[in-house]
Amino acid sequence: VVCRDGCIKAVGQADVIRNQFSGATFERIIDCSGKCVLPGLVDAHTHPVWAGDRVHEFAMKLAGASYMEIHQAGGGIHFTVEHTRKATEEELFHTFKHRLERMCRAGSTLIECKSGYGLNLETELKMLRVIERAKQSMDIGISSTYCGAHSVPKGKTVTEATDDIINNHLPKLKELKLSGEIHVNNIDVFCEKGVFDLDSTRRILQAGKDIGLQINFHGDELHPMKSAELGAELGAQAISHLEEVSDEGITAMARAKCAAVLLPTTAYMLRLKQPQARKMLEEGVIVALGSDFNPNAYCFSMPMVMHLACVNMKMSMNEALAAATINAAYALGKSDTHGSIETGKQGDLVIINSSRWEHLIYQFGGHEALIDYVIVKGKVIYQNERCGTMSSY
């Protein structure tokens, strides 16, 4: 039972609920006989605001080019930055809205959304305004992330880029937050060899923390950088990627209750070493999942992410579901309100056309026929037009 305020009023056995609310009137009743009701999925890592796709680079990757080789040849992030700088705010909002709707149809009800394809103050703010506009105008939940340190801009050194972010970008974000124009939740840095080193990453993350942003950054993806140790030391809410994390880093994250946002799509598409999900889980790390939707990993579907997590990272289906709901909510600092079906939490739900919830993971790429309803704050924001007319089997 979800109240008009969008929060869950009661959860329990059907007959108990019927008796408890026998005198109540409801705006809508959904018959879920033979179906499963799950928490709305939470995508803990996406880059969904940009122009200029990189479909041409997929062929280069298949031919053996590495991520950094493409990056150094002027492709990768810099290609998308060039196109995003040229795009209008309206163009960016139109494509962003379309992408969010596709994520929603795949069951996501709360999505972390990063800037990062501007690398200058003007374009980063343009991207953050687009995210803010979606926050205000769409029903889907959004956690926004400033990722101005996604790459070192052309013509700048790492130190110059770091100084620009600390002295210009972050004070402007603080000003816009105080005026109520833009509300950013997290700060992100791509801590990587040839991008932002450990010292620059530390400076930027600490400066972001000082203006009230949660630390949630890219670390230990392509090279071991001791990002996990740094994140634990700074009190990071979450660190993403971690394909090259050290044993000491895993221990430090477990101790600091810093979530690991694992991205099986990225490891799969870039043919990287898979993140050590099993070791992290055994050590007590809070493991979350994200799609890493971006021009380099074009995936909208958290059910597909969960499937890859089970097959390639050896997670159980229970672990994958927790990682895509309550743990992903934790990675965004929202596990007190999102990520599980509990009284008092926000009424974000996915109803699937199967009597076994495991079908959401078991069926690889089949969510279009499987998901009947996606509900945010008790409001149906997506209903499958063929709802109830087909079997998921």
Side-chain angles (χ1 to χ4, degrees), residues 194-228:
V195 192
F196 287 89
D197 60 23
L198 206 64
D199 183 55
S200 304
T201 300
R202 180 195 299 276
R203 288 182 59 208
I204 295 168
L205 293 177
Q206 185 60 56
K209 186 178 179 181
D210 290 345
I211 65 163
L213 300 178
Q214 284 183 143
I215 296 174
N216 189 332
F217 72 110
H218 292 62
D220 294 328
E221 178 185 357
L222 305 172
H223 298 91
M225 298 287 295
K226 295 196 180 296
S227 302

Side-chain angles (χ1 to χ4, degrees), residues 7 31 225 249 321 349 358:
C7 293
D31 184 356
M225 298 287 295
L321 182 64
L349 309 164
E358 291 92 342

Side-chain angles (χ1 to χ4, degrees), residues 1-4 17-18 21-29:
V1 177
V2 183
C3 268
R4 280 199 181 91
I17 295 289
R18 282 195 193 97
F21 292 89
S22 57
T25 54
F26 293 92
E27 285 179 16
R28 182 163 187 177
I29 295 175

Side-chain angles (χ1 to χ4, degrees), residues 341-371:
I341 302 173
E342 295 179 71
T343 303
K345 283 197 170 185
Q346 189 166 300
D348 292 1
L349 309 164
V350 175
I351 300 170
I352 67 167
N353 183 22
S354 171
S355 58
R356 292 193 57 162
W357 69 266
E358 291 92 342
H359 272 273
L360 195 60
I361 297 173
Y362 164 63
Q363 294 188 21
F364 188 47
H367 61 262
E368 297 89 350
L370 189 59
I371 294 174

Side-chain angles (χ1 to χ4, degrees), residues 8 57 65 125 154 182 197 231 254 256 274 277 289 294 297 315 318 324 330-331 344 388-390:
I8 296 169
E57 289 180 10
L125 290 179
K154 287 179 179 177
I182 295 176
D197 60 23
Q274 294 290 331
L289 290 171
N294 73 78
M315 291 174 73
N318 285 345
Y330 176 88
T389 65
M390 58 191 171

Side-chain angles (χ1 to χ4, degrees), residues 21 42 82 98 136 144 187 200 221 244 248 251 262 294 315 318 327 329 333 342 365 392:
F21 292 89
V42 180
E82 194 181 316
H98 177 66
Q136 303 304 328
S144 60
I187 184 158
S200 304
E221 178 185 357
E244 298 289 342
E248 294 78 14
T251 303
L262 305 185
N294 73 78
M315 291 174 73
N318 285 345
N327 290 4
E342 295 179 71
S392 65

Side-chain angles (χ1 to χ4, degrees), residues 87-244:
T88 67
E89 202 167 305
E90 199 57 43
E91 286 167 341
L92 289 174
F93 179 73
H94 178 74
T95 52
F96 176 44
K97 183 171 179 283
H98 177 66
R99 289 164 188 159
L100 285 178
E101 286 165 352
R102 287 184 69 179
M103 291 174 180
C104 166
R105 292 197 295 271
S108 292
T109 56
L110 173 61
I111 299 165
E112 185 266 2
C113 300
K114 303 178 191 293
S115 70
Y117 291 113
L119 309 186
N120 60 27
L121 181 56
E122 179 194 352
T123 316
E124 288 296 312
L125 290 179
K126 178 170 68 174
M127 296 177 75
L128 290 169
R129 281 195 301 271
V130 165
I131 295 170
E132 187 68 28
R133 185 172 159 191
K135 269 189 183 182
Q136 303 304 328
S137 64
M138 296 181 72
D139 292 308
I140 201 159
I142 292 173
S143 176
S144 60
T145 300
Y146 163 74
C147 188
H150 197 195
S151 185
V152 179
K154 287 179 179 177
K156 279 198 168 128
T157 65
V158 172
T159 304
E160 287 167 345
T162 302
D163 289 343
D164 185 34
I165 287 166
I166 292 170
N167 299 328
N168 299 310
H169 291 215
L170 292 176
K172 186 65 178 177
L173 283 187
K174 185 179 179 182
E175 178 193 316
L176 292 170
K177 182 182 176 184
L178 290 171
S179 69
E181 288 177 61
I182 295 176
H183 301 88
V184 179
N185 304 105
N186 316 289
I187 184 158
D188 193 351
V189 175
F190 187 12
C191 181
E192 184 54 69
K193 188 177 175 182
V195 192
F196 287 89
D197 60 23
L198 206 64
D199 183 55
S200 304
T201 300
R202 180 195 299 276
R203 288 182 59 208
I204 295 168
L205 293 177
Q206 185 60 56
K209 186 178 179 181
D210 290 345
I211 65 163
L213 300 178
Q214 284 183 143
I215 296 174
N216 189 332
F217 72 110
H218 292 62
D220 294 328
E221 178 185 357
L222 305 172
H223 298 91
M225 298 287 295
K226 295 196 180 296
S227 302
E229 291 91 326
L230 174 66
E233 178 196 326
L234 293 178
Q237 186 72 23
I239 306 170
S240 291
H241 283 292
L242 300 166
E243 287 87 350
E244 298 289 342

